[in-house]
Amino acid sequence: MSTSEPPRWPHCAHGADPAADSVGCRGIHVPGHTACLAHLTSTDRDAYLTSLTPGDSIDHRGTTFTEPLLLALLNALRDPATGIVRLGNAVCNWATFEGDARFGSATFEGDARFGSATFEGDAWFGSATFESAAWFGSAIFKSDARFESATFEGAARFAAATFEGGARFGSATFKSRAQFGSATFESGSWFGSAIFKSEARFGAATFEGDAGFRSASFKGAAWFGSATFKSRAEFGSATFESIARFGSATFKSSAWFGSATFKKSAGFQEATFEGRAQFGSATFEGTAGFVSATFKGRAMFGGATFEGRAAFESATFEEDAWFKSTTFATADRFGPLVCAGRIMLSGSAFGGPVTLLFAARRLECRRTRWSATAEVRLRYATVDFAHAVFEYPLTIASALDPLVLTDGSELAETTLADAPGPDVRVASLRGVDAAHLVLADVDLSGCLFTGTVHLDQLRLEGACTFDTAPASVRWRRWPPVRFTERRVLAEEHHWRASQPGAAQGWNVAVLGAERAGPLQLAPVYRALRKAFEDGKHEPGAADFYYGEMEMRRHAGDIPRGERGLLTAYWALSGYGLRASRALAWLGAAMLVTVVLLMAFGLAQETPNQTATGTVPAGGGKVTFEIDKDDPQNPTGDRLTGERFEKALNVTLNSVVFRSSGQDLTTAGTYIEMTSRLTEPVLLGLAVLAVRNRVKR
């Protein structure tokens, strides 16, 4: 007979109020009598109890037991040699236990059937032994149900049972299937250190109070699919030797799986964690399946070990996802997943080739170690790779389009709807060996490079952008300062912003960031210049050469003379990179030359040639010496059009290092010599600057 069906045996006709129960007492007749045990006469009851011996089977379906009546029944079945109650088949379906039901240390040698029974007081089954099946399906425990250290050698069926008080199964041993499907635990439930040697089924169960499975051992499959944990779920240090299934389970409060061991696959597909999910130091020896899982609180996997596949495809983290110091032994793919907060991978280790696919606000990989090739493909994220270690090629790339799942659909990014954009920003590469690092389509405007090793071997692919110098004129006392546009490291921004009287537009360092000075930044610019040159990107390399020279000029370890030379080089042509500046100086020099020549250099008039000679007496050969007068300094109007034309001709010839052939005064000769020395140099600097900006 099913425990969910109403009783169909002959009912006891005594003891019920007809107005309350039209069928009277539901208790089954005691064999040989016409009433249930509760309604037998005292003489008949005593005779019945006296006839019982330890190990006998009993059938008291539907019977109402008071505490004294149950005690009398159990005493009749107590083994006088051991003091232990021994029962054969115990059939108590639909029975009602009005007081405490004390079956502690009892041995059920046959089936124990308490289906749909009601325990109004405490139900004591601590240390009891169920040698065959134990049936408590649809039973109602209105007070505490105590099964501590009980042993279930046959199937234990608590399906659809209701535990209104505490359910205590600590240290219990289930040697066969344990069935708690659709059970309701209205108060706390404790299965700490319990041993499930076969299947443990808690599918669709409801835990309204704390669910305590700490240190429990699941040797068979553990099924918690669609279970609801309304309070704390404690599985810390639990061991799952077979598959563990929590698919579609709902954890409305914190879920603690810290130090748990999953020796085969762990399935949390489509599970919902509304509170903190704690998997710190857990060990996943098989596949860890969190596909489409939702973490509304912080997810803590710090110190966990994933020896198999880490399946987080389409998982959603509404807060931080903490994987600090986690070990991924053989995971080949992590994601795609979306995280509205930080993904913390600092101190983690990846043992094999892996692809990380994240849409997240921030990714921290400080001191993360990769032992094989890796690709990190991101959206929306700010990445911190300070002191990360990788001995094989590692690529950090921005995904221009939404990440694609294995079924071909796009990863939903609704939790990042308020994010500024899908661009990927690198925050730090300090301490990284960049010999095997590839950056593709990332924003490096805020990246810290100081301390990066082999930075000259860094590969930049696609559109990698850097910060720029402040645009337009910046007034800072006198004279006004104008910064020409160029690629600038974030650390130069921080340094310039920290200087007294700094011009506006330089970005201040983030609080707590270690500030670098010109002495540290010069080699960084030099290495990046070489990286751009190796990539055949000469215009980009020119910007970093400019930055290198700027840092050398401002460094405190160079002699004053060298600093003066660098300052002149900067002022005249922007280190050979600013054609406009060199041309401006060239124009100014030519203008000054023209003015000086008009004022002092050109002669008053073109001197006439004269011939002088001596005619020897008596004839003979005549010798003439042809000369002309020295040019005379001008005395009249010097700023005439004719004189301007001559001065311009002299100046233009000086620019190309030629002599004009004009008659010049002594001062004009020196002016021309100076012009022929300086102006071709300025012209050469302008040509060099143009070449540096356009060559490939």
Side-chain angles (χ1 to χ4, degrees):
M1 178 184 298
S2 171
T3 57
S4 62
E5 297 176 356
R8 297 174 182 172
W9 57 83
H11 301 300
C12 175
H14 303 282
D17 182 359
D21 189 346
S22 61
V23 299
C25 175
R26 295 181 180 274
I28 192 172
H29 297 173
V30 174
H33 299 275
T34 59
C36 69
L37 181 61
H39 295 113
L40 285 178
T41 63
S42 56
T43 301
D44 291 339
R45 184 185 306 121
D46 291 342
Y48 168 71
L49 295 176
T50 302
S51 67
L52 296 177
T53 59
D56 281 352
S57 296
I58 58 173
D59 184 354
H60 295 291
R61 286 171 285 176
T63 302
T64 299
F65 287 92
T66 61
E67 190 169 343
L69 178 60
L70 178 60
L71 181 59
L73 175 62
L74 296 179
N75 284 335
L77 297 169
R78 192 179 304 276
D79 190 333
T82 61
I84 296 176
V85 175
R86 292 172 44 227
L87 302 93
N89 291 325
V91 184
C92 296
N93 300 329
W94 293 283
T96 300
F97 299 87
E98 293 182 345
D100 291 347
R102 298 181 177 273
F103 290 87
S105 301
T107 299
F108 294 85
E109 298 175 354
D111 289 348
R113 295 180 176 269
F114 291 84
S116 299
T118 300
F119 297 85
E120 296 183 354
D122 289 348
W124 295 78
F125 289 87
S127 300
T129 300
F130 299 86
E131 296 182 356
S132 188
W135 298 73
F136 288 85
S138 300
I140 299 175
F141 299 87
K142 295 186 177 241
S143 189
D144 286 352
R146 310 185 71 98
F147 289 83
E148 295 101 327
S149 301
T151 300
F152 298 85
E153 297 185 2
R157 300 181 182 274
F158 290 83
T162 301
F163 298 86
E164 296 182 6
R168 301 177 181 273
F169 289 83
S171 300
T173 300
F174 299 85
K175 295 184 178 181
S176 189
R177 176 181 292 184
Q179 174 62 270
F180 288 84
S182 300
T184 300
F185 300 87
E186 296 183 1
S187 188
S189 54
W190 291 270
F191 290 82
S193 300
I195 299 175
F196 298 86
K197 293 188 176 182
S198 185
E199 289 185 350
R201 291 186 171 269
F202 289 83
T206 300
F207 298 86
E208 297 184 2
D210 290 349
F213 288 85
R214 187 174 186 84
S215 300
S217 178
F218 297 86
K219 298 183 182 298
W223 302 89
F224 287 84
S226 300
T228 301
F229 299 85
K230 295 185 177 180
S231 190
R232 178 186 174 107
E234 173 63 80
F235 288 85
S237 300
T239 301
F240 299 85
E241 296 187 9
S242 186
I243 59 176
R245 291 289 181 265
F246 290 82
S248 300
T250 301
F251 300 86
K252 293 185 174 293
S253 186
S254 57
W256 290 80
F257 289 84
S259 300
T261 300
F262 300 87
K263 294 193 174 183
K264 292 188 178 179
S265 63
F268 290 84
Q269 292 84 348
E270 299 184 5
T272 300
F273 299 86
E274 297 185 5
R276 174 175 291 191
Q278 174 61 267
F279 288 84
S281 300
T283 300
F284 298 87
E285 297 182 8
T287 298
F290 290 86
V291 175
S292 299
T294 300
F295 298 84
K296 295 186 177 181
R298 178 174 291 184
M300 309 293 291
F301 288 84
T305 299
F306 295 86
E307 296 183 5
R309 180 167 172 256
F312 284 83
E313 183 177 13
S314 193
T316 300
F317 297 84
E318 297 186 5
E319 292 189 16
D320 293 348
W322 196 277
F323 290 88
K324 188 174 182 179
S325 300
T326 301
T327 299
F328 299 86
T330 60
D332 61 347
R333 182 182 174 95
F334 190 13
L337 60 82
V338 60
C339 178
R342 293 182 302 167
I343 299 179
M344 174 68 75
L345 283 171
S346 296
S348 297
F350 292 87
V354 64
T355 300
L356 309 182
L357 302 165
F358 302 146
R361 293 185 185 274
R362 186 173 179 86
L363 172 62
E364 294 190 10
C365 294
R366 292 174 173 265
R367 298 175 301 281
T368 305
R369 179 180 293 274
W370 280 269
S371 298
T373 57
E375 179 183 8
V376 184
R377 189 164 293 276
L378 305 167
R379 284 172 63 80
Y380 299 96
T382 298
V383 186
D384 186 349
F385 260 70
H387 305 285
V389 178
F390 38 89
E391 303 173 1
Y392 296 87
L394 184 144
T395 301
I396 304 173
S398 173
L400 304 180
D401 298 317
L403 300 174
V404 178
L405 305 177
T406 53
D407 62 0
S409 61
E410 293 182 350
L411 177 67
E413 299 175 345
T414 53
T415 56
L416 295 170
D418 60 341
D423 298 337
V424 175
R425 297 155 295 279
V426 180
S428 177
L429 291 175
R430 285 183 172 179
V432 168
D433 186 344
H436 301 287
L437 181 60
V438 179
L439 302 178
D441 299 310
V442 296
D443 182 357
L444 298 169
S445 60
C447 185
L448 305 179
F449 286 97
T450 307
T452 305
V453 182
H454 295 143
L455 189 56
D456 58 324
Q457 300 180 41
L458 174 67
R459 286 182 55 191
L460 300 175
E461 305 287 347
C464 292
T465 59
F466 289 82
D467 207 345
T468 58
S472 71
V473 177
R474 302 290 175 176
W475 296 91
R476 185 186 64 184
R477 300 178 184 175
W478 185 260
V481 178
R482 181 181 182 275
F483 301 103
T484 54
E485 185 176 352
R486 62 180 173 92
R487 294 174 178 86
V488 178
L489 296 182
E491 289 149 310
E492 182 180 345
H493 267 272
H494 303 162
W495 172 74
R496 290 188 181 274
S498 68
Q499 300 306 297
Q504 296 180 354
W506 295 104
N507 300 327
V508 179
V510 178
L511 182 64
E514 182 181 350
R515 188 179 295 122
L519 197 60
Q520 294 79 31
L521 289 176
V524 175
Y525 273 113
R526 187 179 306 117
L528 286 173
R529 171 177 62 83
K530 185 177 183 302
F532 270 72
E533 288 174 346
D534 292 344
K536 307 302 180 184
H537 190 350
E538 297 294 343
D543 283 346
F544 290 107
Y545 173 72
Y546 192 103
E548 176 191 353
M549 299 300 288
E550 276 287 271
M551 295 302 99
R552 284 182 57 194
R553 184 167 69 91
H554 289 285
D557 66 335
I558 63 171
R560 182 175 299 179
E562 183 179 345
R563 179 177 287 107
L565 182 61
L566 290 176
T567 301
Y569 191 22
W570 163 76
L572 291 175
S573 64
Y575 308 111
L577 296 172
R578 299 293 181 259
S580 59
R581 190 178 304 179
L583 290 174
W585 279 109
L586 176 60
M590 292 174 63
L591 178 62
V592 170
T593 301
V594 169
V595 172
L596 290 177
L597 287 173
M598 292 174 65
F600 306 106
L602 296 178
Q604 178 71 26
E605 294 178 351
T606 301
N608 295 321
Q609 291 185 343
T610 60
T612 60
T614 303
V615 179
K621 186 176 180 180
V622 179
T623 300
F624 293 93
E625 182 180 347
I626 301 176
D627 199 358
K628 62 180 179 181
D629 298 334
D630 292 336
Q632 301 297 313
N633 290 326
T635 56
D637 188 3
R638 306 181 184 189
L639 304 179
T640 64
E642 181 182 359
R643 291 176 64 81
F644 172 77
E645 182 179 357
K646 291 181 178 181
L648 181 61
N649 181 270
V650 173
T651 302
L652 292 176
N653 279 280
S654 297
V655 171
V656 294
F657 214 71
R658 292 178 56 191
S659 175
S660 64
Q662 293 285 343
D663 293 316
L664 302 175
T665 65
T666 301
T669 300
Y670 285 105
I671 292 172
E672 183 186 34
M673 291 171 61
T674 303
S675 174
R676 290 176 65 183
L677 175 65
T678 58
E679 291 170 4
V681 172
L682 293 174
L683 178 61
L685 290 175
V687 173
L688 177 64
V690 172
R691 179 180 180 276
N692 285 334
R693 304 307 298 186
V694 300
K695 79 172 184 176
R696 289 292 185 269

